[in-house]
Amino acid sequence: MRALVLEKKDVLSIRDIDLSQEVGPRDVKIRLHTVGICGSDVHYYTHGGIGSRKVEAPMVLGHEASGTVVDVGSAVTNLKAGDRVCMEPGIPDMNSKATLLGMYNVDPSVTFWATPPIHGCLTGYVVHPAAFTFKLPDNVSYAEGAMVEPFAVGMQAAARAKIKPGDVGVVLGAGPIGIMVALAALAGGCSKVVITDLHQPKLDIAGRYQGIIPVNVRNHDVKEVVNRETDNWGANVVFEASGAPKAIESAPTLACPGGAIVFVGIPVDAYHLSIHALMGKELRVETVFRYANVYDRAINLIASGKVDLKPLISETFNFEQSIQAFERAASGRPEDVKLQIELASTQDW
């Protein structure tokens, strides 16, 4: 079956590859419609790995996906052929202790699309467990369905923050995940969210949403803005979504006494985090690794109209333009938030 294959660092091809299509009793087979390009996909493309995960064999990319069910296993009762769906890309061991505790995202044996050596979904069809396949409401498009995966990270962050109604939030980093975190924080009860970045085009996009206050750190002091918005008290919750050492180090200075810091971004470089600063305010520290048990709620929020992700889709490419799409994603254009690839028009797989 044809797929977008990462052959090795910096080398992509569209070619045939052998992918299992056997539908088990609790599986569904899905024809892909839309797949988003994630920062991790780009990192595997440009660096050949993330941490200890190295691309050592050709791998199909893509894990933010929506499509249509074309076949169901004998034990599947909640889905049928023709259903429009999105898919949670991580599959845990259903018998692991982490899964039984409801923390399947940290199951050591979880398999996750487009994480070596697991193939992703930038291809015609995939077989996936029905338990991790979610029906899309009629008013949620395929494009929005493919945005549920990154929005789920924002949902996880908001849940970990334990937001109270009326809280003031800060998000450091206005990339795709940072904006998703800000939207989830607002939906979770924050009265307003200050979001920061170095790139004005992304801040302009974020600032179109009611309740989000964009701050360009090249021109403004974030702490001054937070003090202004909180009457010098500080933010109830600070989300670090950039992974930048300076942003990480600044997080405790922006939080109010008894507040929370939620680390979402993954740092590449070494950083310094003052334990004294954390202890002096009795700050609560939370971390986020992917998500668990939030997909259905994310879909509900999108369907309700309370969260509109459509403005974050910068451009859509067809499957034959997949390499071009990845080259653009790798270029890091400041005005791009989310690039997507549409596979529906491709007939020959």
Side-chain angles (χ1 to χ4, degrees):
M1 189 161 53
R2 294 174 72 220
L4 178 70
V5 181
L6 176 60
E7 306 289 357
K8 58 182 179 179
K9 178 180 175 292
D10 294 326
V11 180
L12 291 169
S13 66
I14 296 175
R15 64 171 176 88
D16 286 339
I17 188 169
D18 186 19
L19 300 171
S20 174
Q21 296 292 292
E22 182 180 353
V23 180
R26 292 179 173 81
D27 295 334
V28 293
K29 184 176 181 179
I30 303 147
R31 173 161 182 153
L32 275 298
H33 187 286
T34 302
V35 177
I37 299 177
C38 176
S40 66
D41 294 317
V42 176
H43 204 85
Y44 283 123
Y45 168 43
T46 57
H47 291 75
I50 298 176
S52 62
R53 299 280 191 176
K54 307 296 182 183
V55 178
E56 297 176 343
M59 180 181 75
V60 178
L61 289 171
H63 63 264
E64 304 175 0
S66 64
T68 304
V69 175
V70 296
D71 193 12
V72 301
S74 59
V76 175
T77 58
N78 62 317
L79 293 167
K80 64 183 185 304
D83 282 345
R84 300 165 58 256
V85 295
C86 65
M87 296 77 79
E88 187 169 341
I91 307 171
D93 175 358
M94 299 305 290
N95 296 309
S96 75
K97 186 169 184 177
T99 300
L100 295 174
L101 289 171
M103 303 166 56
Y104 59 83
N105 55 315
V106 296
D107 172 21
S109 63
V110 67
T111 60
F112 199 92
W113 279 346
T115 301
I118 308 301
H119 287 302
C121 60
L122 264 165
T123 186
Y125 297 85
V126 292
V127 174
H128 201 60
F132 294 92
T133 302
F134 297 83
K135 188 174 179 179
L136 296 176
D138 291 342
N139 66 332
V140 176
S141 68
Y142 286 109
E144 292 171 292
M147 295 284 274
V148 172
E149 197 279 337
F151 184 54
V153 178
M155 293 285 290
Q156 182 80 357
R160 299 286 288 176
K162 300 179 176 65
I163 295 167
K164 295 183 179 65
D167 277 355
V168 175
V170 173
V171 177
L172 304 177
I177 295 299
I179 297 176
M180 301 281 190
V181 169
L183 293 174
L186 288 171
C190 277
S191 58
K192 53 189 170 183
V193 176
V194 174
I195 190 166
T196 73
D197 208 281
L198 295 166
H199 301 292
Q200 193 59 42
K202 285 186 170 58
L203 291 168
D204 291 341
I205 294 168
R208 295 172 192 163
Y209 289 97
Q210 184 176 359
I212 294 182
I213 303 166
V215 177
N216 191 319
V217 295
R218 296 184 192 273
N219 308 319
H220 301 280
D221 185 301
V222 181
K223 189 172 181 179
E224 288 183 3
V225 176
V226 172
N227 285 341
R228 182 190 72 210
E229 296 296 330
T230 63
D231 197 22
N232 294 310
W233 178 242
N236 302 98
V237 57
V238 178
F239 299 93
E240 204 305 295
S242 71
K246 286 186 178 180
I248 294 171
E249 293 163 14
S250 72
T253 70
L254 304 175
C256 71
I261 299 175
V262 182
F263 289 104
V264 186
I266 300 176
V268 176
D269 301 316
Y271 63 90
H272 172 78
L273 183 64
S274 172
I275 300 300
H276 290 290
L278 298 173
M279 295 177 69
K281 292 182 178 179
E282 284 202 348
L283 297 177
R284 175 169 52 87
V285 175
E286 300 282 354
T287 58
V288 169
F289 182 69
R290 295 174 179 158
Y291 38 75
N293 303 304
V294 298
Y295 247 63
D296 52 350
R297 287 181 287 156
I299 294 168
N300 288 343
L301 278 172
I302 296 167
S304 73
K306 292 182 178 180
V307 172
D308 182 10
L309 302 180
K310 295 188 291 294
L312 305 182
I313 302 171
S314 303
E315 190 163 339
T316 302
F317 298 78
N318 64 48
F319 178 70
E320 302 302 332
Q321 298 172 309
S322 294
I323 296 176
Q324 175 187 338
F326 266 80
E327 289 172 346
R328 174 163 155 181
S331 72
R333 295 183 3 165
E335 62 270 29
D336 285 342
V337 178
K338 178 59 63 178
L339 303 178
Q340 293 186 331
I341 297 171
E342 189 173 294
L343 299 89
S345 61
T346 303
Q347 300 299 319
D348 182 16
W349 291 107

